[in-house]
Structure formats: structure tokens, C-alpha cells
């Protein structure tokens, strides 16, 4: 799977966002589901792990075929060689940041399991998974925008970079708004699909969706900091956010249960968005926020320097 994801990221860097997103987010499940269906139908065996393993191997093989077919790999010459030292120094902070994000995703579930009941863990997990639907737009737009942002940054074209960020965040915001409203207004019917007892997660779902929507105000913040060489800033910011999330969960879960966990997540995402936006504005004079009707208030007042400036 790691090699499959590596192929996906390489395709993204070479401006094949559709293939990249397909390999990372779709192909494994597209293969695993029919395999699992066949296993249950013909062999009466719920071979979930085996089906997922088989799908991962086939997906990896398909990713290699895509490489060979569409990328002139064997005709490519190396123009620059990145030393292993630099690769390590730049990669470790990113690895640490990603690990912290995974920890943050599981923090509320683990703490609910400690302070509350197993039933509440199940209800919260369903609400959390539904709220994650709002990240689909973020992932899709980020996959398309990342190569363009990298191109502007390599040319030190901060005006072009700002325009690209504005377009990406605007698209993320407006594509996130409809599903946000749908989930908020129909939260109870959506949860009832999984069982009547899951409707208890109604308020938690609304809070989680609100947090995800706040995050869309600064949608592609996650790829800007590493792209401008601020991997360590991203690392320290992620560490601070995870600590904040743990503290808020420890405060709110004993008091409010799953609603407290959702509130902690919402506040964490909101604070994360604000801190990142402030840092980008003060460090490189980039506005990473998009809030409709506040364009004049958020716009950068001074002109960016060009490459020679």
C-alpha cells in the first residue's frame, strides 16, 4: 500500500490528479467490495482481511501499469539529485506531522472508550464517519491544486500563488456548503439509517460537521506549509493542536459525553484554521482564508515582491 500511495503522489506531482486520486482513494475499495461479495455469496465466508489484501496487491499492480503506459519513465534523465540527508531532514517532520494527525483522529474515540460506554463509541464513530464526507471536496481540490501551487512557488511567484490559493479555497468552500447544510438539516434521518439508537449522535454530528466546514475556510492549508519549506512549523503546529485536542477532550467528554468529544474536535479545527491563517499572513504575506463577502477585509493590502525583489 505504501508503494501504491507513492505511485499516487508521483502522478499528482506530474499533474495527473485524476489518476492520483483514483489510486489513493478509490481503487482498493472498488476491487475489495466485489471480491468480498463473491466470497460471501459463493464460499459463505466473510474474508474481509483477505479481500482487502488481495485488492491492495491488484491495485499496486494496476498503478505500475499506469506508470508504464502514461509516464515516459525510461526516457527520463535525472536533472537534480536530492541527497538522502536532505530527504531525511525534510521528510521526518512531515512524517511526524502525519502521525500526529492520525493520533488526533483517534483521540476522541479512545477517550470516549475510557470515560463512557462502548455503545457511545459506536454512535460517535458513525457520526464521525458521516462528517468525514466533507473532506472529499478538500482531497479532490488539493490533488488538482498541489502541482499548480508548487509551480508558482518554484518560480517565487507569490501573486500567482495567492490567486491559486484563492481559487482552490473558494472551490472547497462552495462544494462543502451544500453537503454541510444537508447533513445538518437531515442529521437525524441520516443517523436513523444505521439504527434508531444512533439518533443519539444527532448533536455530535452537527458539531463535527460544523468543525469540518470551518476547516474549509482555509482548505488547502495542509499543503501550503510544507510547500514553502515550513515542515518544522507544520510539525510543531500539529503537535500543539494534538495536545490541545487531548486537553479539550479530557475536559468535555466526562461532562458532555460524545457531544463533548464533538465540541472538542470542532474547537480544535477552528483554532487550527485561525492559527495557520495568521502564520501564513504574517510570515509570507499570503491570505489562506476564504470567507464570502469578507474579501476586502481579508485581502492583502501590500503588494507581493517579485522573484528578484
Amino acid at each position: 500500500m505504501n508503494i501504491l500511495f507513492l505511485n499516487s503522489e508521483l502522478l499528482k506531482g506530474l499533474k495527473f490528479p485524476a489518476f492520483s486520486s483514483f489510486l489513493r482513494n478509490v481503487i482498493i475499495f472498488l476491487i475489495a467490495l466485489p471480491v468480498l461479495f463473491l466470497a460471501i455469496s459463493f464460499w459463505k465466508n466473510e474474508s474481509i482481511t483477505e479481500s482487502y489484501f488481495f485488492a491492495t496487491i491488484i491495485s499496486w499492480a494496476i498503478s505500475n501499469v499506469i506508470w508504464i503506459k502514461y509516464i515516459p519513465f525510461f526516457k527520463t534523465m535525472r536533472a537534480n539529485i536530492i541527497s538522502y540527508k536532505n530527504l531525511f531532514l525534510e521528510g521526518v517532520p512531515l512524517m511526524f506531522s502525519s502521525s500526529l494527525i492520525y493520533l488526533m483522529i483517534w483521540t476522541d474515540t479512545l477517550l470516549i472508550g475510557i470515560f463512557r460506554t462502548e455503545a457511545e463509541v459506536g454512535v460517535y464513530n458513525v457520526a464521525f464517519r458521516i462528517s468525514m464526507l466533507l473532506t472529499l471536496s478538500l482531497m479532490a481540490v488539493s490533488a488538482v491544486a498541489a502541482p499548480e501551487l508548487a509551480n508558482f512557488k518554484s518560480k517565487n511567484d507569490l501573486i500567482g500563488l495567492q490567486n491559486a490559493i484563492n481559487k482552490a479555497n473558494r472551490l472547497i468552500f462552495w462544494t462543502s456548503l451544500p453537503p454541510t447544510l444537508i447533513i445538518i438539516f437531515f442529521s437525524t434521518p441520516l443517523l436513523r439509517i444505521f439504527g434508531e439508537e444512533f439518533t443519539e449522535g444527532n448533536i455530535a454530528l452537527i458539531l463535527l460537521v460544523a468543525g469540518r466546514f470551518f476547516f474549509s475556510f482555509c482548505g488547502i492549508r495542509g499543503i501550503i506549509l510544507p510547500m514553502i519549506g515550513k515542515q518544522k512549523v507544520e510539525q510543531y503546529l500539529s503537535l500543539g493542536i494534538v495536545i490541545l485536542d487531548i486537553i479539550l477532550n479530557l475536559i468535555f467528554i466526562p461532562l458532555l459525553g460524545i457531544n463533548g468529544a464533538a465540541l472538542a474536535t470542532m474547537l480544535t479545527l477552528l483554532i487550527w484554521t485561525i492559527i495557520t491563517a495568521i502564520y501564513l499572513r504574517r510570515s509570507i504575506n499570503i491570505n489562506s482564508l476564504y470567507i464570502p463577502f469578507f474579501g476586502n477585509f481579508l485581502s492583502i493590502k501590500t503588494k507581493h515582491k517579485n522573484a528578484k525583489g
Side-chain angles (χ1 to χ4, degrees), residues 14 67 71-79:
L14 293 173
W67 259 104
I71 308 299
F73 183 77
F74 296 104
K75 298 179 182 179
T76 301
M77 297 181 63
R78 289 190 298 177

Side-chain angles (χ1 to χ4, degrees), residues 4-258:
L4 170 65
F5 286 172
L6 175 62
N7 287 347
S8 169
E9 292 301 306
L10 292 171
L11 286 168
K12 181 194 297 183
L14 293 173
K15 299 185 179 181
F16 287 86
F19 281 133
S20 174
S21 181
F22 178 75
L23 291 177
R24 173 171 281 275
N25 303 311
V26 178
I27 189 170
I28 292 180
F29 298 101
L30 195 64
I31 296 174
L33 288 176
V35 171
L36 181 60
F37 175 78
L38 291 173
I40 295 175
S41 301
F42 293 96
W43 295 289
K44 309 300 181 183
N45 183 14
E46 295 183 0
S47 305
I48 298 175
T49 304
E50 292 82 354
S51 299
Y52 196 82
F53 172 77
F54 175 79
T56 303
I57 298 299
I58 298 299
S59 300
W60 164 76
I62 293 175
S63 73
N64 292 328
V65 172
I66 294 175
W67 259 104
I68 295 172
K69 183 174 179 60
Y70 291 98
I71 308 299
F73 183 77
F74 296 104
K75 298 179 182 179
T76 301
M77 297 181 63
R78 289 190 298 177
N80 298 305
I81 300 177
I82 302 176
S83 68
Y84 286 108
K85 179 181 178 181
N86 289 337
L87 190 63
F88 180 81
L89 293 176
E90 293 181 11
V92 167
L94 293 176
M95 180 186 70
F96 188 66
S97 300
S98 299
S99 301
L100 288 171
I101 300 306
Y102 278 112
L103 176 61
M104 177 181 168
I105 291 174
W106 282 98
T107 294
D108 41 9
T109 300
L110 293 173
L111 291 178
I112 291 172
I114 293 174
F115 291 107
R116 311 294 290 195
T117 64
E118 292 182 5
E120 288 178 279
V121 173
V123 171
Y124 183 82
N125 274 335
V126 169
F128 183 85
R129 299 304 173 189
I130 293 175
S131 73
M132 289 297 288
L133 292 173
L134 294 181
T135 64
L136 295 177
S137 173
L138 171 61
M139 291 189 295
V141 175
S142 297
V144 176
E148 184 178 0
L149 296 179
N151 183 46
F152 285 121
K153 181 60 181 69
S154 66
K155 297 177 181 178
N156 201 24
D157 182 1
L158 294 185
I159 295 177
L161 180 63
Q162 179 67 76
N163 290 334
I165 291 172
N166 291 344
K167 291 178 183 178
N169 281 341
R170 188 181 303 117
L171 185 58
I172 292 171
F173 179 91
W174 288 111
T175 54
S176 298
L177 181 59
T180 297
L181 296 176
I182 291 172
I183 294 175
I184 288 176
F185 286 118
F186 298 98
S187 56
T188 300
L190 284 172
L191 289 169
R192 189 173 285 119
I193 295 174
F194 302 92
E196 188 64 34
E197 64 275 16
F198 286 93
T199 57
E200 297 176 5
N202 177 45
I203 296 177
L205 176 57
I206 293 174
L207 291 173
L208 289 169
V209 169
R212 298 292 171 195
F213 185 62
F214 290 147
F215 209 52
S216 72
F217 291 173
C218 187
I220 57 172
R221 52 146 298 282
I223 62 177
I224 299 176
L225 286 174
M227 192 171 295
I228 63 176
K230 302 294 183 179
Q231 296 94 329
K232 289 188 177 180
V233 174
E234 176 73 5
Q235 170 185 296
Y236 297 138
L237 178 59
S238 299
L239 178 60
I241 288 298
V242 169
I243 293 174
L244 173 65
D245 186 51
I246 293 173
I247 293 173
L248 291 177
N249 273 286
L250 287 173
I251 294 173
F252 291 131
I253 290 177
L255 296 174
L256 303 172
I258 60 174

Side-chain angles (χ1 to χ4, degrees), residues 207 211 214 241 244-245 248 252 260-274:
L207 291 173
F214 290 147
I241 288 298
L244 173 65
D245 186 51
L248 291 177
F252 291 131
L263 178 61
T265 298
M266 184 189 74
L267 292 176
T268 300
L269 292 175
L270 180 59
I271 293 170
W272 195 0
T273 298
I274 294 173

